[in-house]
Amino acid sequence: MIEPRKKIKVATTSLAGCFGCHMSLLDIDQRLFTLLEHIEFDRSPLTDIKNCSPDCDIGIVEGGLCNTENIHVLREFRRNCKILIALGACAINGGLPAQRNHWPLAVLLEEVYHTSPGPANGMIPNDPELPLPLDRVHPIHEVVHVDYAIPGCPPSGDAIWKVLTDLLAGREPELGHGLLHYD
Amino acid sequence: MSQTFTIDGRVIPFEIGQTVMQAASQAGIYIPHLCYHPAFKPNGSCKLCTVKVNGRQSASCTLRAQSGMVVESDTEEINAERRTLTQMLFVEGNHFCPSCEKSGHCQLQATAYHLGMMSPHFDHFFPDRAVDASHPDILLDFNRCILCSLCVQASREVDKKQVFALSGRGIGTHLIVNARSGRLADTDFSLADKAAQVCPVGVILKKRTGFAVPIGQRTYDQQPISAPGKVAEEIRHD
C-alpha cells in the first residue's frame, strides 16, 4: 500500500495588518480545495490554533510590527517555519500603520486618547497585559530573515495562489505583469 | 549608410551625436530609466539606465553612441543592480503605493515591476518630509521625491520660472520651492506648466483628480512600462 504523501504544513498570522491579506487567501476560492490536497493549516486565524508547531514548512505573515507582541509572534514563526513569506504591503514596508512613523508615539497616544471624542475617559491604557507599542512601525524583514514576499494591498488571491503553487512545485516563485502589484 | 552598434546582440542604427538611450528608444528597446526624459538634457543622476559597454558600466542616457559598441542591457547582472538601486529609492523615501494617487501611473513603481522587485530589501529610512498643499490646484508630496530633477529642468528650461531646485548635499539633498516662504502658493507655478507634468512619481499632483481611474485600469495595469512608447504615454496622462 502506498502511504499518502505528507502534507505541507502552513502557518499564517496577522500582525499589524487589517486581515485583508487573509481575505485574499480566501479569494483563492475553489482552488483552496486543490491547495488543501497538498497543504494543511497549522497556527492561523483560519484554525484558531494559538502557537506554531515546530515543524511548519511555510509561514505566511501579514502585517508589520507595531508592538512587542508582533515581534514575539514573528520570531515564533521564524523559529518554527522553514520558509517565511511576507504577505502584503504592511509586512513588506509597514504599509498604512507605518504612516504614523512621522509622529512621536506620545503625540499619537495623546491624540487618540485625550482628544474628544475619545474612549476610556481620556486615559491612555496602561494594563500590564497590553503589549508595549513600538516607537515606529517596522516591516518584518527588519527583524527576521524573510524568504519571499508577495506585494500588494492586499495581494490578489491569484498572486498568493501563484506563489504557493510555485513553491509546492519546487519552482522559484515569480509574479509577472498583472500579478505583481504594490497597491 | 548609418552607423551601428549592438545592444544584447541586436544591431542598432544611430546618428552621430545620439546617446545610447536615444538610439535604443528609437529602435524600440526599453532601457529602464527614471531621471531621463526625451525633452530634456540628460543628467545621469538615477543610474537606472546603466548598461555595460565593452565591459565597462556607463549611464546610457549620457553616453554617446559609437560605431561598433557592444552594449549589454537586459542581463541578469545589470538588472540585479538596477533592482538594488530601485530598492534604495523606495527605502530612502516614503513610498506607500496603496495610498498614493499616482499608483498605477507611477514610473518608479512600474520600473520596480519591470525589474521584478518583490520587496525593498533594505531597512526603511521613514524620513520626515513635508507635504505642501498651499497651492489651489497642485499638491506637493515630498515623501515620494526621488530627486530626478525633471521638474527643476522643466521649470527652468521650458516654463522659464525656476520654481524648483535641489538643495543640500548627499543624503540631505532635497527638493525645494523657490519662494521666500518655501510654499508653492507663493510662486507663479501653474497647472499648465511643463514642470507640473513631468514628475515620474507622485510628488506633483493635480488636485481633485486623485483615484479617478480604478486599480486595474491604470496606465501600467494595462501594459508594462517596457511596452513601446509607454513612458511617453504616461507623461501625457498627467
Side-chain angles (χ1 to χ4, degrees):
Chain A
M1 184 183 151
I2 299 169
E3 273 189 41
R5 264 181 65 187
K6 185 177 165 285
K7 286 189 174 180
I8 302 287
K9 205 177 270 190
V10 178
T12 79
T13 190
S14 179
L15 306 176
C18 71
F19 278 96
C21 296
H22 274 82
M23 294 297 110
S24 275
L25 194 61
L26 299 177
D27 275 345
I28 290 176
D29 294 334
Q30 293 96 323
R31 290 168 298 179
L32 273 172
F33 293 109
T34 311
L35 208 52
L36 287 170
E37 290 170 15
H38 305 283
I39 71 166
E40 62 179 307
F41 282 104
D42 190 73
R43 174 185 170 146
S44 169
L46 308 175
T47 59
D48 207 22
I49 297 171
K50 304 297 183 196
N51 290 95
C52 275
S53 303
D55 58 346
C56 288
D57 297 290
I58 298 175
I60 299 176
V61 178
E62 169 195 341
L65 305 163
C66 79
N67 63 38
T68 49
E69 197 221 358
N70 293 154
I71 293 178
H72 174 81
V73 173
L74 177 64
R75 288 195 166 135
E76 184 197 49
F77 265 68
R78 182 67 278 181
R79 206 165 44 243
N80 294 312
C81 304
K82 294 185 188 81
I83 293 173
L84 197 66
I85 301 175
L87 180 64
C90 299
I92 291 170
N93 69 3
L96 184 69
Q99 295 187 43
R100 78 154 154 95
N101 287 352
H102 300 293
W103 291 276
L105 188 58
V107 170
L108 294 169
L109 291 171
E110 285 281 330
E111 177 69 23
V112 171
Y113 293 103
H114 285 171
T115 305
S116 182
N121 298 322
M123 262 184 59
I124 295 174
N126 61 355
D127 191 302
E129 286 202 358
L130 289 173
L132 287 171
L134 305 177
D135 62 343
R136 277 183 160 194
V137 176
H138 295 270
I140 66 171
H141 75 269
E142 292 183 7
V143 171
V144 298
H145 173 74
V146 174
D147 300 293
Y148 299 104
I150 310 178
C153 184
S156 65
D158 287 342
I160 301 170
W161 163 262
K162 176 73 167 57
V163 170
L164 289 180
T165 49
D166 278 351
L167 284 173
L168 289 172
R171 291 187 296 265
E172 272 300 297
E174 202 174 310
L175 297 177
H177 180 255
L179 285 182
L180 181 54
H181 264 272
Y182 299 162
D183 54 12
Chain B
M1 190 175 148
S2 66
Q3 305 197 58
T4 62
F5 64 98
T6 65
I7 295 182
D8 299 329
R10 192 173 144 186
V11 178
I12 309 293
F14 71 94
E15 293 152 30
I16 300 291
Q18 272 190 320
T19 61
V20 170
M21 172 68 88
Q22 286 168 333
S25 301
Q26 200 169 284
I29 292 180
Y30 170 70
I31 299 177
H33 58 271
L34 289 168
C35 73
Y36 169 74
H37 186 294
F40 302 106
K41 190 180 169 192
N43 61 45
S45 65
C46 79
K47 297 290 183 285
L48 255 289
C49 72
T50 296
V51 290
K52 208 180 237 185
V53 182
N54 300 338
R56 296 179 68 172
Q57 291 193 341
S58 182
S60 62
C61 68
T62 54
L63 183 69
R64 296 261 185 238
Q66 289 179 37
S67 195
M69 273 179 165
V70 178
V71 178
E72 296 168 66
S73 176
D74 191 15
T75 67
E76 186 44 46
E77 178 198 355
I78 295 169
N79 282 332
E81 292 188 10
R82 290 172 179 155
R83 194 157 48 240
T84 301
L85 288 172
T86 311
Q87 287 170 322
M88 290 177 183
L89 288 174
F90 268 86
V91 300
E92 283 177 11
N94 293 305
H95 297 277
F96 296 108
C97 295
S99 54
C100 177
E101 291 182 19
K102 188 87 171 200
S103 190
H105 306 303
C106 168
Q107 287 179 32
L108 175 66
Q109 185 190 61
T111 305
Y113 291 167
H114 172 80
L115 296 168
M117 191 188 107
M118 302 293 279
S119 81
H121 179 78
F122 300 104
D123 284 7
H124 284 69
F125 286 30
F126 294 125
D128 286 324
R129 295 201 195 154
V131 172
D132 179 352
S134 62
H135 194 282
D137 301 320
I138 295 144
L139 170 74
L140 292 182
D141 189 337
F142 295 102
N143 286 291
R144 299 153 186 164
C145 185
I146 56 170
L147 307 173
C148 71
S149 76
L150 283 174
C151 59
V152 180
Q153 282 181 288
S155 185
R156 188 176 55 213
E157 293 168 21
V158 181
D159 307 327
K160 312 292 182 194
K161 289 185 177 177
Q162 305 198 56
V163 170
F164 299 102
L166 295 186
S167 179
R169 299 212 177 263
I171 198 64
T173 311
H174 60 288
L175 184 66
I176 56 166
V177 170
N178 188 14
R180 192 172 289 273
S181 65
R183 288 164 19 116
L184 193 64
D186 298 325
T187 70
D188 55 354
F189 194 61
S190 140
L191 253 187
D193 289 356
K194 182 73 176 171
Q197 296 151 36
V198 295
C199 182
V201 291
V203 178
I204 304 175
L205 295 168
K206 185 179 174 185
K207 286 185 176 178
R208 298 174 291 277
T209 60
F211 307 106
V213 184
I215 289 176
Q217 296 171 31
R218 297 175 185 175
T219 310
Y220 300 114
D221 294 336
Q222 311 285 342
Q223 280 183 302
I225 195 167
S226 55
K230 208 63 203 164
V231 171
E233 190 182 308
E234 141 65 14
I235 287 161
R236 280 200 303 275
H237 174 90
D238 281 347

